Amino acid sequence: MHSHSRRGFLARMMGAVWSGASLLERAALVAAQARAQSRAQLPTLFEIEKVADGIYAAVANGRALINCNAAIFENANDLLIVDAHSAPSAVYALVAQVRKEITQKPVRYVVATHLHGDHTQGLPAYRSMAPGASIIASARTRTMMAELGPARLKAAVDAVPGSIENLSRRRASAKTAEERAYFQEMIDQSRAFLEEMRNVPVELPDVTFDDHLTLHDKAHELHLSFRGRGHTAGDIVVYCPSKKVIASGDLLHSFFPTIGDGYPRDWPGTLRSIGELEFQKVIGGHGGVLESPARARQMRDYLEELLEIVARAKHDGVPLDRLQQTITPASLKTLQGGYGDYLAGEVKKHDFRVYLITQSEVMARGVRDNLSAVYRNYERA
Ligand SMILES: [Zn+2]
């Protein structure tokens, strides 16, 4: 990108109407923009790929603080973008990349698939960049963001100094130059995040719906829907029936599922409901584009196998630590035939935090985390 257009980019940001942000919050956003501009080049945080006519996936490159993917739907005169990453600077970088690689059309809708910070902490950037745009979520997600958002954001930022200390210790005892460089990069990215996120506010969605919302555009119809609980209590998907593409947030992606805030007993039914839609490709919240509708069934089968194992263990009074000793990637039927390798390979490729561990360690960790989350959340209703 040329420097004059970078200045233009910043001028456009600064000229935007500031609505609803305090002075301190404005200062934090201005600082984020200035930092993004002061770099020789905005960092390439995404790889943008065309998924169908007018639909693009921005697949997030690995970072110390993980960013979600964005799904970009190009309407006749404007854009709908799904999810907003872990920091405003990532949104500025994405929009600059969209301008360069896809279109100059303005952002009119931003969808937050769920409340998690790696999907919502960048929302203030959209609010200041495109003050007239609608930020859309399920009513459940908005309620959770209003109640839990500020505390969750504070916890996410407060955790970073401890993580930097840990990374510094590991850098000090690194065995190779590559390892040292890796830890240094993780530290630098964590520090930049910390610096940026002080005083960034939680930006709440301003358009909500309970179950369905249809956007009618000359280019295509977009169906937004809540199809049941899963990864959280409020996840929604965006479906384009004419182009047979779904953006699914963290309900369905190419990483191991994240079940910590989830409803494991509801999730398979929610995936079954998604499976009833007629689609060919899925832009998930993390990892590469899912190129086959079979991926929805594979993830459902995997969750159902974990549920069966946990149900039996609970019935027999088997504690989690004993269960962890017998359940491994090799013992799970649904991970055989390539699905386990696929998930672990995708994590390995797109998550910078696992840079130093092997694919089989990634798989073992995925199964261990999933099993314990299903066990802990099994009674959740
Ligand atoms: Zn999430």
Side-chain angles (χ1 to χ4, degrees), residues 11 36 77 86 100 114 132 181 193 206 236 244 253 288 298 302 353 370:
N77 299 308
S86 64
K100 203 167 129 192
H114 65 289
F193 175 83
D206 53 5
I236 57 173
K244 300 187 169 37
H253 54 44
Q298 285 176 311
Y302 170 60
R353 300 168 305 176
N370 284 167

Side-chain angles (χ1 to χ4, degrees), residues 287-363:
V289 173
L290 285 66
E291 302 287 347
S292 152
R295 296 293 181 206
R297 184 182 41 75
Q298 285 176 311
M299 186 156 154
R300 195 188 75 211
D301 289 348
Y302 170 60
L303 285 167
E304 282 182 334
E305 186 175 16
L306 292 178
L307 280 164
E308 253 172 59
I309 289 165
V310 167
R312 213 178 313 125
K314 297 239 174 196
H315 176 267
D316 298 342
V318 178
L320 178 60
D321 56 348
R322 229 174 73 216
L323 191 60
Q324 294 282 26
Q325 286 157 22
T326 54
I327 304 304
T328 64
S331 77
L332 292 168
K333 289 193 300 287
T334 53
L335 292 184
Q336 311 314 308
Y339 188 54
D341 287 324
Y342 166 73
L343 293 175
E346 286 286 301
V347 174
K348 194 63 194 133
K349 187 169 164 199
H350 298 284
D351 188 347
F352 193 47
R353 300 168 305 176
V354 302
Y355 182 77
L356 289 180
I357 68 175
T358 65
Q359 187 165 316
S360 60
E361 285 166 334
V362 167
M363 197 169 350

